[in-house]
Amino acid sequence: MRKITFPLLIVLSLILVQCSTSKSTTSKTTETPVVENVILLIGDGMGVSQVYSGITANNGLNLEKSQYVGLSKTYSASSYITDSAAGGTAIASGTKTNNGAIGVDAKGNEVKSILEYAAENGLSTGVVASCAITHATPASFVAHQQNRNMQEEIAVDFVNSAVTLFIGGGKKYFAERSDNANLMDQLKDKGFQVALDMDAVKKTTSGKLAALVADEHPSTYPDRGEFLPESVQAALNILDNNSKGFFLIVEGSQIDWESHDNNAAGVVNEMIDFDRAIKVAFDYADSNPGTLVVITADHETGGMALTGGDIKTGDVKANWGTTGHTSVMVPVFSYGAGSEEFAGIYENTDIFSKLMNLYGFEK
Ligand code: MG
Ligand code: ZN
């Protein structure tokens, strides 16, 4: 009889543990934040005109499925017109800093990013960009350097960071450095699986991933093909393994560059590709409650004005105010868990605070 009672007790206590666990999970959902996963997509230089050029040319965009829209004020600590370093740092860390600064405040002190808070809280984290991963926008979430041009130093910060995965270009800042250090080996020592093409990226479904698929930047769309949506899908496949949740930042990097070039056709192409990445994010949110998708920009570029066009033919005509950035407020689109928090008009730094609150992280 004893031999039967003993395993029975184990089974019984397992059932009891099971019950108490599910009980606490149920009560937890009523009192703690609803957001477990955040997918933040930044269209660099993406103002309302860039968005509407894509909507016109493509006969609609997936981002129109967004549930709430807000406006973000983008000025930096040093200028009415921000650059991508200060704009990225403001969104990432809730701190207005000087143009050019990456993950440091206006005095040069390091400021912690939402990605770093997520990692500290046991979540998985990822960075995807259609440019060098060491470029200003993605770097703002991971690195801490006085100037965006210090891309070799930024690459070192990536190696030493707590990030779970990154996918982008910029291999040369890891592999062909002025100090001759081989950061590719260091990445492997830190437990990263290193991928140099999209086949290798797509085969990776767990663990840590460092994907450097171009020496400098992936090409413009459509030449770079499925790079951006496939990278977002690959990132989600890996990040999805963590039951505590994740933070993923995705940059549509080259909307900005086409806008600097005052090239409306190029802007349309980059918008359409960025929107394909948005669809991957929305699809994930649809099948994973507790996922928040936020789509915004660091600033507008080009002072793009749609002075003509045709909804039926998709034709778009643009005039441009500048080949640089502008100060105009940029849109914030949101979808999924906690999305209502992003309605309204607020500072770019509030995006950080809203995410911190929704995750329930403490500073
Ligand atoms: Mg950028
Ligand atoms: Zn720019």
Side-chain angles (χ1 to χ4, degrees), residues 252-322:
S253 315
Q254 302 194 26
I255 300 165
D256 177 62
W257 302 348
E258 298 294 357
S259 298
H260 279 292
D261 287 347
N262 291 178
N263 176 6
V267 167
V268 163
N269 283 341
E270 290 297 332
M271 273 308 309
I272 289 171
D273 188 44
F274 185 52
D275 189 60
R276 300 189 311 147
I278 291 168
K279 182 177 190 309
V280 176
F282 281 176
D283 287 350
Y284 184 89
D286 283 341
S287 48
N288 293 274
T291 302
L292 165 67
V293 181
V294 177
I295 304 145
T296 190
D298 46 357
H299 53 73
E300 195 273 345
T301 303
M304 187 184 197
L306 300 182
T307 50
D310 188 327
I311 285 288
K312 288 200 188 87
T313 62
D315 187 36
V316 172
K317 283 192 180 64
N319 273 4
W320 300 85
T322 175

Side-chain angles (χ1 to χ4, degrees), residues 35-51:
V35 172
E36 287 173 15
N37 313 313
V38 173
I39 308 171
L40 173 62
L41 300 110
I42 298 180
D44 197 317
M46 186 188 74
V48 172
S49 292
Q50 280 81 359
V51 172

Side-chain angles (χ1 to χ4, degrees), residues 48-111:
V48 172
S49 292
Q50 280 81 359
V51 172
Y52 198 59
S53 72
I55 288 175
T56 305
N58 195 51
N59 192 23
L61 289 178
N62 293 297
L63 72 70
E64 293 178 71
K65 195 169 128 179
S66 298
Q67 292 162 309
Y68 293 89
V69 181
L71 290 169
S72 156
K73 302 176 192 176
T74 67
Y75 66 90
S76 72
S78 64
S79 173
Y80 184 54
I81 299 175
T82 190
D83 79 326
S84 292
T89 300
I91 296 168
S93 303
T95 305
K96 299 250 188 197
T97 190
N98 299 331
N99 284 9
I102 299 286
V104 297
D105 66 17
K107 289 177 182 157
N109 303 308
E110 289 189 13
V111 285

Side-chain angles (χ1 to χ4, degrees), residues 126-348:
V127 184
V128 172
S130 50
C131 67
I133 205 72
T134 50
H135 208 256
T137 312
S140 298
F141 287 81
V142 172
H144 304 278
Q145 296 295 340
Q146 303 303 320
N147 195 283
R148 58 184 291 167
N149 298 326
M150 302 164 71
Q151 293 196 70
E152 292 190 348
E153 289 81 357
I154 290 169
V156 172
D157 284 353
F158 267 87
V159 173
N160 295 324
S161 74
V163 73
T164 310
L165 68 92
F166 57 89
I167 309 172
K171 189 176 86 183
K172 70 177 196 182
Y173 301 107
F174 294 79
E176 298 154 45
R177 298 165 53 84
S178 53
D179 63 3
N180 291 321
N182 187 342
L183 299 197
M184 307 302 267
D185 286 345
Q186 291 184 27
L187 283 168
K188 287 174 193 156
D189 290 344
K190 298 269 182 182
F192 285 98
Q193 302 162 85
V194 175
L196 300 179
D197 58 48
M198 286 309 290
D199 282 341
V201 168
K202 286 189 276 183
K203 274 183 202 144
T204 313
T205 55
S206 63
K208 291 167 71 176
L209 170 67
L212 298 162
V213 302
D215 268 341
E216 181 82 64
H217 306 302
S219 9
T220 54
Y221 185 74
D223 288 350
R224 69 171 174 271
E226 301 307 300
F227 166 78
L228 194 57
E230 284 188 352
S231 293
V232 175
Q233 187 59 63
L236 290 171
N237 293 345
I238 295 173
L239 298 171
D240 185 57
N241 293 318
N242 189 337
S243 60
K244 285 186 177 168
F246 63 78
F247 174 79
L248 172 64
I249 151 76
V250 177
E251 187 197 23
S253 315
Q254 302 194 26
I255 300 165
D256 177 62
W257 302 348
E258 298 294 357
S259 298
H260 279 292
D261 287 347
N262 291 178
N263 176 6
V267 167
V268 163
N269 283 341
E270 290 297 332
M271 273 308 309
I272 289 171
D273 188 44
F274 185 52
D275 189 60
R276 300 189 311 147
I278 291 168
K279 182 177 190 309
V280 176
F282 281 176
D283 287 350
Y284 184 89
D286 283 341
S287 48
N288 293 274
T291 302
L292 165 67
V293 181
V294 177
I295 304 145
T296 190
D298 46 357
H299 53 73
E300 195 273 345
T301 303
M304 187 184 197
L306 300 182
T307 50
D310 188 327
I311 285 288
K312 288 200 188 87
T313 62
D315 187 36
V316 172
K317 283 192 180 64
N319 273 4
W320 300 85
T322 175
T323 55
H325 300 167
T326 69
S327 64
V328 68
M329 293 188 289
V330 293
V332 185
F333 305 96
S334 56
Y335 184 80
S339 56
E340 64 278 3
E341 295 299 318
F342 292 85
I345 300 172
Y346 41 84
E347 301 288 341
N348 54 2

